[in-house]
Amino acid sequence: MPVPYIFVFPTNQQVGNPQINRPQTQTQTMAAEAADSVHPADTPMKDCSGDPPVLPLSTPLSPSTASPTGARTLPVFERDVFLGNVDVFLPPGTPSSGSGVFPSNEIRISRRSTASSRCPPLAVLQVISAYSLRCKLQENTLDLHPGSVLLGNLHSTCWNQRMTAVVAAGEEELHLVAMQSKVKGVPSFWCWSAQKGLYTACLGMLNQRRLAIVFDLDQTLVSCYNEQTFKTLTKKIESSLENPELADDTQLALRNQLGNVSKDQLFLKEYKEKRAITVGDEIVRSQDEKSMLHKPGGLRQVIVRPVIRVPTRNAVLTCLDPTDAESSYFANIRPGWDDLKSCLITANGFRRYKVYVCTMAGTYYALEAWRLLDPEGRLISSEEISQRLICVRRGSKKSLQHVFRKSLCHPNMAIVIDDRLDVWDEKDKRHVHNLPAYNPSVATEDKVVHGPNALQIVRSITRKVQKGFFSEFDGMLLKAVDELMYENDVLDLPCTPDVGDYLQLRNNKIVIKTQ
């Protein structure tokens, strides 16, 4: 086992004040026997592939203004209330002044995090900012200030309610995590850095055992055509049919595809002219559906569109601009979407996943395409849509960092569903389930040979990934955090679970990793 850190605190006799009644530190009972046997190089290091190298904390540094323990001593405030003084123990190689952690030479707590119902703070921080321990803090044993009891109260509250004390640090937050120590009665904290706001965003997801899921739109969930794109597709098929060397089965498949495209094109023509279509012997007229258009400056505008839904065909006809018939679209919704949606959200409205959309389509089109999929806003509400629907310029790469820029989540907790792998940043590809492109004019049922359709496979995969991620989170990380003490090395924590560990890319297919 790794040797616990040794912190040197003076005894009452050493400082010449017998009135101080402080508990004896671990060093006073261990230093003599450990002095000849413990060296930082003797501490075993864990190899967590992909994690940044982190060195264990060593003995306290000796800055110019130091406490008798050899550590830098700084005052702690919660807003303007003085709580007490703490000794700051820095990692090796850090300037002894500690100015890189607390540049103002004080620790000023701006707020406390939300109390956690299920997850200890250290487990959350390890998921969102692995091994980012900046320093350790322990109450100064010479602190006789009458307000120092407040530091103990802070420690007790943070420990019992599973919350952290948060210090603002620009684009980062420093989370003071209450830790149990072998030195009884001395408030002890680990100081952990994380992206601003990320802890709050991910705490609720981890407490509720939720992951994020990022959907592409075109050829992933929908296939949409307007009059011009129908004409382009028709010409392409007709051009292929002119090839005299086509095999009979290929020629038959192309003619069937051309027939399907012609039927859909006729539906779109009827819709543009009459806002109604003929399905068999029945005339189906449009119904008004309302949507919310978000404008710059926080303004919202209600748009009423004439929409025709044809459930037997998984088809919807709509128009982006109700006053312009040329903005009409024929959309096929991928088979299995309703079944997958029931997996994403329960009947009583609980969201099992935090849903995002990332597309290379234009914003106006993307908002309407997603509304056709989620008309009631059950997966993404109208208040959330501007933060969770992300449009990426064509020719650029999609990235989870960009997706989570406004509505925070950590990439380790994200599953991506997309028909194209090449449009994603290299580092995010291991999070992508690359399903076949949806082409309803070729395969209306969208099924693999003698098997389920593509979105049924997605449903199965997301469930297995979620189960694997939280089995590791509960069985390894939470267990390790429960046993960890202030004196432990940060590398005593296990590697953080990662959705990418449960998705392996092989020949553009996803294989679930066995455990």
Side-chain angles (χ1 to χ4, degrees):
M1 290 181 61
V3 179
Y5 298 128
I6 298 177
F7 301 102
V8 181
F9 293 103
T11 63
N12 297 340
Q13 289 76 13
Q14 286 175 308
V15 298
N17 193 340
Q19 296 179 353
I20 301 177
N21 184 21
R22 293 285 182 181
Q24 190 179 43
T25 67
Q26 66 191 78
T27 299
Q28 294 161 353
T29 59
M30 296 174 58
E33 59 188 66
D36 296 330
S37 60
V38 178
H39 188 275
D42 297 329
T43 305
M45 301 282 285
K46 294 185 179 180
D47 180 18
C48 293
S49 178
D51 292 316
V54 179
L55 296 175
L57 298 177
S58 63
T59 54
L61 301 173
S62 300
S64 56
T65 305
S67 74
T69 65
R72 178 75 169 176
T73 301
L74 296 179
V76 180
F77 298 86
E78 186 163 17
R79 295 186 179 90
D80 295 326
V81 178
F82 175 68
L83 303 184
N85 294 309
V86 294
D87 293 334
V88 181
F89 299 91
L90 301 170
T94 306
S96 60
S97 64
S99 59
V101 183
F102 304 109
S104 60
N105 288 327
E106 66 176 20
I107 302 171
R108 192 170 293 271
I109 299 166
S110 59
R111 63 180 178 84
R112 300 185 190 185
S113 70
T114 304
S116 173
S117 61
R118 196 170 186 177
C119 301
L122 198 57
V124 179
L125 289 165
Q126 176 68 350
V127 169
I128 66 172
S129 187
Y131 302 105
S132 296
L133 179 67
R134 298 291 297 277
C135 62
K136 292 186 175 186
L137 311 175
Q138 198 164 47
E139 184 185 29
N140 184 275
T141 55
L142 302 181
D143 187 3
L144 299 178
H145 192 281
S148 62
V149 67
L150 297 179
L151 190 62
N153 292 342
L154 173 71
H155 182 276
S156 177
T157 301
C158 287
W159 175 263
N160 292 327
Q161 297 187 27
R162 293 177 175 172
M163 60 173 56
T164 67
V166 183
V167 178
E171 293 303 311
E172 285 189 329
E173 294 172 340
L174 300 178
H175 290 263
L176 308 188
V177 183
M179 302 291 291
Q180 294 296 294
S181 173
K182 295 178 181 179
V183 184
K184 302 299 182 183
V186 178
S188 306
F189 300 84
W190 280 14
C191 176
W192 204 282
S193 65
Q195 179 187 344
K196 185 178 180 180
L198 190 57
Y199 179 90
T200 301
C202 294
L203 173 63
M205 294 178 65
L206 291 171
N207 274 332
Q208 296 175 344
R209 299 304 188 257
R210 297 166 64 203
L211 295 177
I213 187 165
V214 183
F215 287 110
D216 174 50
L217 287 176
D218 287 317
Q219 279 68 61
T220 297
L221 297 181
V222 296
S223 178
C224 296
Y225 291 91
N226 59 19
E227 186 175 18
Q228 184 57 48
T229 53
F230 265 137
K231 289 180 179 179
T232 302
L233 179 58
T234 299
K235 287 182 180 179
K236 181 179 179 181
I237 298 172
E238 290 175 341
S239 176
S240 298
L241 284 169
E242 293 175 359
N243 183 357
E245 298 181 359
L246 280 179
D248 290 344
D249 56 347
T250 303
Q251 190 176 65
L252 178 61
L254 285 172
R255 291 192 182 281
N256 288 336
Q257 183 183 6
L258 184 60
N260 292 333
V261 171
S262 298
K263 292 176 185 178
D264 294 343
Q265 196 170 7
L266 181 60
F267 279 141
L268 182 62
K269 184 175 183 295
E270 284 187 284
Y271 172 78
K272 287 175 60 178
E273 294 174 353
K274 300 181 289 189
R275 293 294 190 247
I277 62 173
T278 303
V279 181
D281 297 330
E282 181 183 0
I283 296 178
V284 182
R285 302 189 184 280
S286 65
Q287 302 292 324
D288 288 343
E289 293 188 8
K290 294 181 179 180
S291 62
M292 190 73 69
L293 179 63
H294 293 259
K295 292 188 171 183
L299 299 177
R300 298 182 184 181
Q301 177 185 350
V302 176
I303 296 180
V304 180
R305 293 186 173 98
V307 176
I308 298 177
R309 293 181 181 267
V310 190
T312 56
R313 288 283 313 276
N314 288 321
V316 186
L317 292 108
T318 186
C319 58
L320 300 186
D321 183 354
T323 65
D324 181 9
E326 296 304 315
S327 68
S328 299
Y329 276 86
F330 180 93
N332 276 113
I333 296 176
R334 194 162 198 160
W337 169 246
D338 288 339
D339 186 49
L340 175 59
K341 193 158 64 169
S342 69
C343 171
L344 303 176
I345 188 168
T346 64
N348 62 4
F350 174 72
R351 298 172 181 174
R352 294 192 180 101
Y353 298 82
K354 190 174 182 179
V355 176
Y356 295 79
V357 176
C358 183
T359 176
M360 288 184 172
T363 302
Y364 205 34
Y365 163 85
L367 285 169
E368 177 62 4
W370 177 254
R371 190 194 67 80
L372 298 178
L373 294 163
D374 185 30
E376 297 175 349
R378 299 184 70 210
L379 297 178
I380 305 177
S381 70
S382 59
E383 291 77 18
E384 300 167 321
I385 192 68
S386 62
Q387 296 182 331
R388 298 226 221 130
L389 188 147
I390 292 85
C391 294
V392 179
R393 182 169 46 84
R394 288 190 179 275
S396 58
K397 290 287 188 180
K398 296 179 180 180
S399 73
L400 290 174
Q401 181 180 3
H402 184 60
V403 170
F404 300 141
R405 185 166 51 91
K406 293 182 179 179
S407 181
L408 297 179
C409 179
H410 196 279
N412 284 358
M413 300 170 63
I415 308 168
V416 179
I417 309 298
D418 202 324
D419 69 296
R420 290 184 61 183
L421 188 65
D422 61 301
V423 297
W424 284 91
D425 273 354
E426 195 65 35
K427 66 180 181 299
D428 293 326
K429 287 182 178 179
R430 61 195 302 270
H431 288 261
V432 179
H433 171 41
N434 182 212
L435 75 174
Y438 176 42
N439 189 344
S441 64
V442 174
T444 55
E445 297 299 318
D446 191 46
K447 289 186 176 181
V448 299
V449 179
H450 305 302
N453 61 47
L455 292 188
Q456 287 174 330
I457 296 173
V458 169
R459 173 175 175 162
S460 175
I461 285 175
T462 54
R463 282 181 165 179
K464 291 178 180 178
V465 169
Q466 186 181 46
K467 180 180 179 181
F469 181 96
F470 285 107
S471 293
E472 182 179 349
F473 181 80
D474 293 336
M476 296 182 63
L477 185 55
L478 288 190
K479 182 179 179 181
V481 167
D482 286 342
E483 298 172 354
L484 208 68
M485 300 194 73
Y486 171 81
E487 289 79 12
N488 277 96
D489 191 314
V490 67
L491 295 181
D492 290 333
L493 283 168
C495 299
T496 179
D498 186 343
V499 162
D501 291 339
Y502 297 92
L503 296 173
Q504 295 181 353
L505 294 172
R506 293 178 184 173
N507 300 322
N508 290 334
K509 294 182 179 180
I510 295 297
V511 178
I512 298 299
K513 186 176 77 171
T514 57
Q515 296 188 64

